Amino acid sequence: MSRARTARRIAAGAAYGGGGIGLIGVAAVGVVVAELQFAKRTVGTGLPDPPRADGLYGSEFGGPELSPGPLRLAMLGDSTAAGLGVRRARQTPGALLASGLAAVAERPVELRNVALSGAMSDDLDRQTGLLLQDDTPPPDVAVIMIGANDVTRRMPPTQSVRLLTAAVRRLRLAGAEVVIGTCPDLGTIEPVYQPLRWMARRVSRQLAAAQTIGVIALGGRTVSMGDLLGPEFAANPREMFGPDSYHPSAEGYATAAMAVLPTVCAALGVWPESDRLDHTRDEDILPLAKAASAAAGEAGTEVTAARAPWALLKHRRRRRMPSGPEIGQPAEHEEGPAEGSAQDGGGPKRPSSHAKAGDLDGTGR
């Protein structure tokens, strides 16, 4: 059965309350999950909690008291959204996205990260509730990265998609734009060997495609995390994976944020590129299931809604992420002179407070 057809079945089961639908057979899935769990044990799990990065970014573009006020960015999901494996707040994907969004929009960005390491899709209801409390303004845009733990802990894919779409629906009804980083390709985990690596890749990509179908129907956008957030991971696993060989390194998170940033900005209408297709970049309008299937196999690919049942398949040009201390990083997140100073080994310097969207370029797709 094709990936597109399987994804349609999973998404339909999620929408209409169907039971779990086998992806590649119950026995095969069991073997894949057992191998993935073994891989997680062999690489180790003794990482410290991810650093907190909540706060205001891009304060040089205006204080919170100025109209229209800061953009509100929320991060939800699992350890990838939380930034597990890095030591500094500025290295987390939330901080990188907040910095990049502030630079592109030339407007402060208020970041709130409620992601939880180890979370599955059944934790999204709790996370969404934290963001939508009565005394808290809803986010302007919410980024959700989820799915890997659903696979490794054997959550039925229909249940996984149903829980994700329920969270997306709540956020959309509250007025938030929603961008999903779909289930990463678990076939990139080094301790998993063939043929189980191929099977893990198939399971995770089918879930990613089903997530896209469910999310696009609610007006959200998705970005494929593909082979763990980009082809760079397959080419340079020693640099892109962290010390546990399972979670991304600081370089890996920067690659992930660089892939997601264009879609976050486009959802808010501040990205310099339009939603018009660029056929020189293999962009197309496809039936939703086919677009979802194609995106799952190519990291960094965006899927957004067109007139039903069609969807836009886009490869937005990536822009170089701001590096060094984030634009307008809150004072409470500063970690002493080691952050981006000469004592930090000559690390990258702070970008100009007048950076334009066009200044963040040079990386291509």
Side-chain angles (χ1 to χ4, degrees), residues 146-165:
I146 202 77
N149 295 322
D150 294 3
V151 173
T152 61
R153 298 181 189 174
R154 305 186 68 172
M155 176 178 284
T158 49
Q159 181 183 357
S160 175
V161 174
R162 187 181 306 123
L163 291 165
L164 172 61
T165 54

PDB file of all heavy atoms in Angstrom, residues 146-165:
ATOM      1  N   ILE A 146       6.228  16.872  17.473  1.00  0.00           N
ATOM      2  CA  ILE A 146       5.718  15.710  18.191  1.00  0.00           C
ATOM      3  C   ILE A 146       5.691  14.502  17.260  1.00  0.00           C
ATOM      4  O   ILE A 146       5.636  14.669  16.036  1.00  0.00           O
ATOM      5  CB  ILE A 146       4.290  15.994  18.739  1.00  0.00           C
ATOM      6  CG1 ILE A 146       3.936  15.063  19.916  1.00  0.00           C
ATOM      7  CG2 ILE A 146       3.262  15.949  17.639  1.00  0.00           C
ATOM      8  CD1 ILE A 146       4.572  15.436  21.214  1.00  0.00           C
ATOM      9  N   GLY A 147       5.754  13.327  17.840  1.00  0.00           N
ATOM     10  CA  GLY A 147       5.540  12.107  17.071  1.00  0.00           C
ATOM     11  C   GLY A 147       6.535  10.993  17.332  1.00  0.00           C
ATOM     12  O   GLY A 147       6.175   9.818  17.266  1.00  0.00           O
ATOM     13  N   ALA A 148       7.792  11.324  17.613  1.00  0.00           N
ATOM     14  CA  ALA A 148       8.801  10.270  17.773  1.00  0.00           C
ATOM     15  C   ALA A 148       8.475   9.346  18.930  1.00  0.00           C
ATOM     16  O   ALA A 148       8.571   8.115  18.807  1.00  0.00           O
ATOM     17  CB  ALA A 148      10.182  10.902  17.972  1.00  0.00           C
ATOM     18  N   ASN A 149       8.063   9.907  20.068  1.00  0.00           N
ATOM     19  CA  ASN A 149       7.739   9.066  21.220  1.00  0.00           C
ATOM     20  C   ASN A 149       6.462   8.265  20.999  1.00  0.00           C
ATOM     21  O   ASN A 149       6.288   7.191  21.581  1.00  0.00           O
ATOM     22  CB  ASN A 149       7.603   9.928  22.484  1.00  0.00           C
ATOM     23  CG  ASN A 149       8.914  10.571  22.878  1.00  0.00           C
ATOM     24  OD1 ASN A 149       9.974   9.971  22.759  1.00  0.00           O
ATOM     25  ND2 ASN A 149       8.853  11.812  23.326  1.00  0.00           N
ATOM     26  N   ASP A 150       5.565   8.777  20.164  1.00  0.00           N
ATOM     27  CA  ASP A 150       4.366   8.006  19.832  1.00  0.00           C
ATOM     28  C   ASP A 150       4.752   6.705  19.139  1.00  0.00           C
ATOM     29  O   ASP A 150       4.142   5.651  19.374  1.00  0.00           O
ATOM     30  CB  ASP A 150       3.450   8.816  18.914  1.00  0.00           C
ATOM     31  CG  ASP A 150       2.868  10.047  19.585  1.00  0.00           C
ATOM     32  OD1 ASP A 150       3.219  10.319  20.755  1.00  0.00           O
ATOM     33  OD2 ASP A 150       2.055  10.745  18.949  1.00  0.00           O
ATOM     34  N   VAL A 151       5.767   6.779  18.267  1.00  0.00           N
ATOM     35  CA  VAL A 151       6.218   5.583  17.556  1.00  0.00           C
ATOM     36  C   VAL A 151       6.938   4.636  18.497  1.00  0.00           C
ATOM     37  O   VAL A 151       6.633   3.441  18.558  1.00  0.00           O
ATOM     38  CB  VAL A 151       7.129   5.969  16.371  1.00  0.00           C
ATOM     39  CG1 VAL A 151       7.735   4.728  15.723  1.00  0.00           C
ATOM     40  CG2 VAL A 151       6.342   6.761  15.337  1.00  0.00           C
ATOM     41  N   THR A 152       7.901   5.158  19.273  1.00  0.00           N
ATOM     42  CA  THR A 152       8.708   4.276  20.110  1.00  0.00           C
ATOM     43  C   THR A 152       7.909   3.666  21.257  1.00  0.00           C
ATOM     44  O   THR A 152       8.284   2.617  21.775  1.00  0.00           O
ATOM     45  CB  THR A 152       9.922   5.029  20.675  1.00  0.00           C
ATOM     46  OG1 THR A 152       9.486   6.132  21.479  1.00  0.00           O
ATOM     47  CG2 THR A 152      10.806   5.544  19.548  1.00  0.00           C
ATOM     48  N   ARG A 153       6.800   4.305  21.633  1.00  0.00           N
ATOM     49  CA  ARG A 153       5.971   3.769  22.728  1.00  0.00           C
ATOM     50  C   ARG A 153       4.672   3.152  22.222  1.00  0.00           C
ATOM     51  O   ARG A 153       3.753   2.912  22.991  1.00  0.00           O
ATOM     52  CB  ARG A 153       5.689   4.876  23.748  1.00  0.00           C
ATOM     53  CG  ARG A 153       6.967   5.405  24.382  1.00  0.00           C
ATOM     54  CD  ARG A 153       6.697   6.480  25.404  1.00  0.00           C
ATOM     55  NE  ARG A 153       7.926   7.108  25.842  1.00  0.00           N
ATOM     56  CZ  ARG A 153       7.981   8.158  26.656  1.00  0.00           C
ATOM     57  NH1 ARG A 153       6.856   8.690  27.115  1.00  0.00           N
ATOM     58  NH2 ARG A 153       9.135   8.678  27.007  1.00  0.00           N
ATOM     59  N   ARG A 154       4.611   2.940  20.924  1.00  0.00           N
ATOM     60  CA  ARG A 154       3.560   2.139  20.297  1.00  0.00           C
ATOM     61  C   ARG A 154       2.170   2.734  20.439  1.00  0.00           C
ATOM     62  O   ARG A 154       1.186   2.011  20.546  1.00  0.00           O
ATOM     63  CB  ARG A 154       3.601   0.707  20.833  1.00  0.00           C
ATOM     64  CG  ARG A 154       4.944   0.030  20.699  1.00  0.00           C
ATOM     65  CD  ARG A 154       4.930  -1.412  21.097  1.00  0.00           C
ATOM     66  NE  ARG A 154       4.150  -2.221  20.159  1.00  0.00           N
ATOM     67  CZ  ARG A 154       4.100  -3.559  20.199  1.00  0.00           C
ATOM     68  NH1 ARG A 154       4.768  -4.218  21.129  1.00  0.00           N
ATOM     69  NH2 ARG A 154       3.372  -4.210  19.327  1.00  0.00           N
ATOM     70  N   MET A 155       2.053   4.033  20.419  1.00  0.00           N
ATOM     71  CA  MET A 155       0.725   4.637  20.365  1.00  0.00           C
ATOM     72  C   MET A 155       0.141   4.371  18.983  1.00  0.00           C
ATOM     73  O   MET A 155       0.802   4.600  17.976  1.00  0.00           O
ATOM     74  CB  MET A 155       0.796   6.151  20.617  1.00  0.00           C
ATOM     75  CG  MET A 155      -0.554   6.855  20.471  1.00  0.00           C
ATOM     76  SD  MET A 155      -0.468   8.634  20.814  1.00  0.00           S
ATOM     77  CE  MET A 155      -0.364   8.602  22.604  1.00  0.00           C
ATOM     78  N   PRO A 156      -1.116   3.911  18.896  1.00  0.00           N
ATOM     79  CA  PRO A 156      -1.719   3.705  17.583  1.00  0.00           C
ATOM     80  C   PRO A 156      -1.697   4.995  16.773  1.00  0.00           C
ATOM     81  O   PRO A 156      -1.990   6.070  17.301  1.00  0.00           O
ATOM     82  CB  PRO A 156      -3.159   3.276  17.917  1.00  0.00           C
ATOM     83  CG  PRO A 156      -3.070   2.697  19.289  1.00  0.00           C
ATOM     84  CD  PRO A 156      -2.014   3.493  19.994  1.00  0.00           C
ATOM     85  N   PRO A 157      -1.323   4.926  15.495  1.00  0.00           N
ATOM     86  CA  PRO A 157      -1.185   6.148  14.708  1.00  0.00           C
ATOM     87  C   PRO A 157      -2.473   6.944  14.606  1.00  0.00           C
ATOM     88  O   PRO A 157      -2.432   8.174  14.569  1.00  0.00           O
ATOM     89  CB  PRO A 157      -0.704   5.648  13.341  1.00  0.00           C
ATOM     90  CG  PRO A 157      -1.054   4.200  13.310  1.00  0.00           C
ATOM     91  CD  PRO A 157      -0.965   3.723  14.718  1.00  0.00           C
ATOM     92  N   THR A 158      -3.621   6.268  14.560  1.00  0.00           N
ATOM     93  CA  THR A 158      -4.878   7.014  14.510  1.00  0.00           C
ATOM     94  C   THR A 158      -5.089   7.824  15.789  1.00  0.00           C
ATOM     95  O   THR A 158      -5.555   8.964  15.741  1.00  0.00           O
ATOM     96  CB  THR A 158      -6.074   6.069  14.305  1.00  0.00           C
ATOM     97  OG1 THR A 158      -5.981   4.985  15.231  1.00  0.00           O
ATOM     98  CG2 THR A 158      -6.085   5.514  12.892  1.00  0.00           C
ATOM     99  N   GLN A 159      -4.719   7.244  16.930  1.00  0.00           N
ATOM    100  CA  GLN A 159      -4.839   7.974  18.195  1.00  0.00           C
ATOM    101  C   GLN A 159      -3.867   9.152  18.214  1.00  0.00           C
ATOM    102  O   GLN A 159      -4.216  10.253  18.663  1.00  0.00           O
ATOM    103  CB  GLN A 159      -4.563   7.052  19.378  1.00  0.00           C
ATOM    104  CG  GLN A 159      -4.684   7.727  20.738  1.00  0.00           C
ATOM    105  CD  GLN A 159      -4.334   6.801  21.893  1.00  0.00           C
ATOM    106  OE1 GLN A 159      -4.040   5.614  21.689  1.00  0.00           O
ATOM    107  NE2 GLN A 159      -4.354   7.325  23.103  1.00  0.00           N
ATOM    108  N   SER A 160      -2.660   8.930  17.734  1.00  0.00           N
ATOM    109  CA  SER A 160      -1.661   9.991  17.693  1.00  0.00           C
ATOM    110  C   SER A 160      -2.156  11.182  16.883  1.00  0.00           C
ATOM    111  O   SER A 160      -2.084  12.335  17.336  1.00  0.00           O
ATOM    112  CB  SER A 160      -0.363   9.450  17.086  1.00  0.00           C
ATOM    113  OG  SER A 160       0.595  10.459  16.930  1.00  0.00           O
ATOM    114  N   VAL A 161      -2.690  10.917  15.692  1.00  0.00           N
ATOM    115  CA  VAL A 161      -3.181  11.994  14.836  1.00  0.00           C
ATOM    116  C   VAL A 161      -4.404  12.654  15.449  1.00  0.00           C
ATOM    117  O   VAL A 161      -4.572  13.877  15.386  1.00  0.00           O
ATOM    118  CB  VAL A 161      -3.478  11.459  13.421  1.00  0.00           C
ATOM    119  CG1 VAL A 161      -4.122  12.540  12.559  1.00  0.00           C
ATOM    120  CG2 VAL A 161      -2.191  10.971  12.762  1.00  0.00           C
ATOM    121  N   ARG A 162      -5.279  11.868  16.057  1.00  0.00           N
ATOM    122  CA  ARG A 162      -6.487  12.430  16.676  1.00  0.00           C
ATOM    123  C   ARG A 162      -6.119  13.403  17.793  1.00  0.00           C
ATOM    124  O   ARG A 162      -6.704  14.492  17.909  1.00  0.00           O
ATOM    125  CB  ARG A 162      -7.354  11.311  17.231  1.00  0.00           C
ATOM    126  CG  ARG A 162      -8.723  11.759  17.745  1.00  0.00           C
ATOM    127  CD  ARG A 162      -9.528  10.593  18.316  1.00  0.00           C
ATOM    128  NE  ARG A 162      -9.640   9.525  17.346  1.00  0.00           N
ATOM    129  CZ  ARG A 162      -9.248   8.274  17.560  1.00  0.00           C
ATOM    130  NH1 ARG A 162      -8.698   7.934  18.715  1.00  0.00           N
ATOM    131  NH2 ARG A 162      -9.403   7.359  16.628  1.00  0.00           N
ATOM    132  N   LEU A 163      -5.141  13.044  18.617  1.00  0.00           N
ATOM    133  CA  LEU A 163      -4.727  13.914  19.719  1.00  0.00           C
ATOM    134  C   LEU A 163      -4.061  15.184  19.200  1.00  0.00           C
ATOM    135  O   LEU A 163      -4.265  16.276  19.735  1.00  0.00           O
ATOM    136  CB  LEU A 163      -3.782  13.150  20.637  1.00  0.00           C
ATOM    137  CG  LEU A 163      -4.419  12.011  21.440  1.00  0.00           C
ATOM    138  CD1 LEU A 163      -3.343  11.098  22.018  1.00  0.00           C
ATOM    139  CD2 LEU A 163      -5.314  12.558  22.538  1.00  0.00           C
ATOM    140  N   LEU A 164      -3.253  15.033  18.157  1.00  0.00           N
ATOM    141  CA  LEU A 164      -2.602  16.208  17.573  1.00  0.00           C
ATOM    142  C   LEU A 164      -3.633  17.162  16.981  1.00  0.00           C
ATOM    143  O   LEU A 164      -3.579  18.382  17.218  1.00  0.00           O
ATOM    144  CB  LEU A 164      -1.609  15.767  16.499  1.00  0.00           C
ATOM    145  CG  LEU A 164      -0.978  16.891  15.662  1.00  0.00           C
ATOM    146  CD1 LEU A 164      -0.179  17.845  16.541  1.00  0.00           C
ATOM    147  CD2 LEU A 164      -0.103  16.314  14.556  1.00  0.00           C
ATOM    148  N   THR A 165      -4.574  16.642  16.215  1.00  0.00           N
ATOM    149  CA  THR A 165      -5.551  17.522  15.569  1.00  0.00           C
ATOM    150  C   THR A 165      -6.472  18.173  16.593  1.00  0.00           C
ATOM    151  O   THR A 165      -6.933  19.306  16.379  1.00  0.00           O
ATOM    152  CB  THR A 165      -6.373  16.757  14.527  1.00  0.00           C
ATOM    153  OG1 THR A 165      -6.966  15.583  15.119  1.00  0.00           O
ATOM    154  CG2 THR A 165      -5.492  16.337  13.357  1.00  0.00           C
TER     155      THR A 165
END
